[in-house]
Amino acid sequence: MEVAKLGIIGAGQMGCGIAQVAAQAGIEVVLVDAQPMLADKGRKKIDAALDKLVQKGKLKAEERSAIIARVTTAENMSAFADCDAVVEAATENQELKKKIFSDLDKVMKAGAILASNTSSISITLLGAQTKRPEKVIGMHFMNPVPVMKLVEVVRGLATDDATYQSVVTLGKRFGKSLVTAKDIPGFIVNRLLIPFLNEACFALQESLGSIEDIDNGVKLGLNHPMGPFELADLIGLDTCLAISEVLHAELGDDKYRPAPLLRQYVAAGWLGRKSGRGFYKY
Ligand code: CAA
């Protein structure tokens, strides 16, 4: 099935990035957030991102107008009724996502695909909240979505081949490369990334080095584009902690226990770039 109209739930940095790449690929997008004001704000952010591309000469001004015209916002999920697929990009919270999937199932047309951008929560569990578990799949984008090449596709226990193929085709239309992961918490990318970021927090807690020295060690010594603290601030420390909790609880191994320092930063509201302060000040 070809996706002509895509719903996106959640107008945070991931939802907006997904909306942008979808609209750039010629797909009609409906953006919805639990707070309608945020959907409008998100659309403005997408417009500003497109404007930057025009300024850099990477996009023609008339293309920008056509792209942003493909992004509409709506107050609630009933606007998804004629969408061929939806990507859920809400906060990384299991109970919230379960409720969203149950609600989406009721408003989406028969045969429509329900994809989640979750970084760690079970696709099988989300599918079980619906009467169409065969149409439920993981479509995990990386941050910043317009720049990062990868989409991780995650098949739940009941996901059918047609859904998988449609999502692979959609990801390719977005210009992304795809990898397929089993529905095991963390999938491929976060199974490797989150223990790495968490270990950096333990290292800082032990005063192994300063924030800058640990980041520079990784950037200059391992050729990573960002150090672990810069990257954690980009992802959001609340998101890093939430994924850590899922890995710890679901895989049951104490090697995944979140660093107390990470919990402390989140408790302080120091969530990274989005809150103006994380390991660094913005
Ligand atoms: N949105 C759109 N474009 C962006 C952007 C953003 N937020 N941030 C940077 N860019 C663009 C810049 O405009 C620039 O484009 P041009 O080359 O056309 O000028 C390009 O990306 C490079 O940016 P900069 O020169 O400013 O800086 P940089 O070279 O350091 O690159 C970066 C920035 C792409 C973010 C790079 O540092 C990087 O790749 N960092 C690692 C990001 C990463 O690992 N992401 C995955 C996180 S894990 C995840 O998302 C999954 C999860 O579930 C937690």
Side-chain angles (χ1 to χ4, degrees):
M1 184 200 37
E2 180 156 306
V3 175
K5 191 167 181 184
L6 181 72
I8 294 177
I9 182 100
Q13 50 185 354
M14 297 306 284
C16 288
I18 300 164
Q20 182 187 329
V21 294
Q24 285 184 270
I27 296 166
E28 296 289 328
V29 175
V30 186
L31 186 59
V32 170
D33 195 281
Q35 291 172 266
M37 197 191 81
L38 291 186
D40 291 330
K41 222 172 139 186
R43 189 175 183 277
K44 287 195 184 105
K45 269 198 234 156
I46 297 168
D47 199 23
L50 294 172
D51 188 36
K52 264 195 186 166
L53 293 178
V54 173
Q55 284 170 21
K56 283 190 210 162
K58 294 194 169 177
L59 188 70
K60 293 197 183 108
E62 56 273 25
E63 282 173 340
R64 170 196 173 183
S65 321
I67 294 166
I68 197 66
R70 280 196 281 275
V71 181
T72 53
T73 60
E75 296 225 334
N76 57 59
M77 290 187 206
S78 57
F80 294 154
D82 61 345
C83 288
D84 305 303
V86 67
V87 180
E88 168 275 316
T91 309
E92 194 68 0
N93 174 300
Q94 187 165 292
E95 289 313 308
L96 174 69
K97 287 192 195 258
K98 277 165 72 177
K99 166 93 171 73
I100 290 174
F101 271 74
S102 158
D103 292 347
L104 282 173
D105 188 39
K106 291 176 193 126
V107 298
M108 303 282 298
K109 66 185 178 190
I113 294 171
L114 274 49
S116 176
N117 179 53
T118 179
S119 4
S120 59
I121 294 166
S122 164
I123 299 302
T124 305
L125 179 71
L126 297 179
Q129 311 311 308
T130 74
K131 293 196 173 68
R132 61 177 100 191
E134 71 286 356
K135 295 281 157 218
V136 175
I137 192 160
M139 207 178 176
H140 182 213
F141 292 81
M142 307 297 131
N143 189 2
V145 178
V147 182
M148 301 298 286
K149 294 189 184 78
L150 185 74
V151 174
E152 217 174 354
V153 181
V154 185
R155 291 185 74 147
L157 203 55
T159 311
D160 66 18
D161 289 341
T163 302
Y164 173 73
Q165 288 307 338
S166 297
V167 162
V168 168
T169 306
L170 184 61
K172 287 184 181 160
R173 276 175 75 195
F174 290 171
K176 303 296 183 192
S177 297
L178 298 115
V179 294
T180 304
K182 266 196 187 172
D183 188 20
I184 294 176
F187 318 130
I188 296 171
V189 171
N190 284 326
R191 177 73 174 265
L192 301 172
L193 174 65
I194 296 300
F196 164 66
L197 299 183
N198 198 37
E199 195 59 28
C201 295
F202 275 114
L204 183 63
Q205 203 176 283
E206 290 162 22
S207 306
L208 179 66
S210 65
I211 291 175
E212 289 78 10
D213 279 350
I214 294 172
D215 270 353
N216 280 333
V218 167
K219 282 193 287 191
L220 305 176
L222 299 174
N223 246 3
H224 288 207
M226 286 179 149
F229 299 116
E230 290 172 332
L231 184 53
D233 275 359
L234 173 72
I235 294 167
L237 304 192
D238 50 341
T239 302
C240 293
L241 177 59
I243 304 170
S244 239
E245 304 267 30
V246 172
L247 291 179
H248 189 206
E250 300 286 327
L251 299 173
D253 191 326
D254 274 351
K255 73 179 174 183
Y256 300 111
R257 73 206 182 285
L261 186 79
L262 179 61
R263 288 191 191 282
Q264 211 175 18
Y265 272 67
V266 173
W270 296 355
L271 306 181
R273 286 193 191 191
K274 64 184 168 188
S275 70
R277 177 160 191 181
F279 291 105
Y280 295 93
K281 286 187 184 156
Y282 298 91

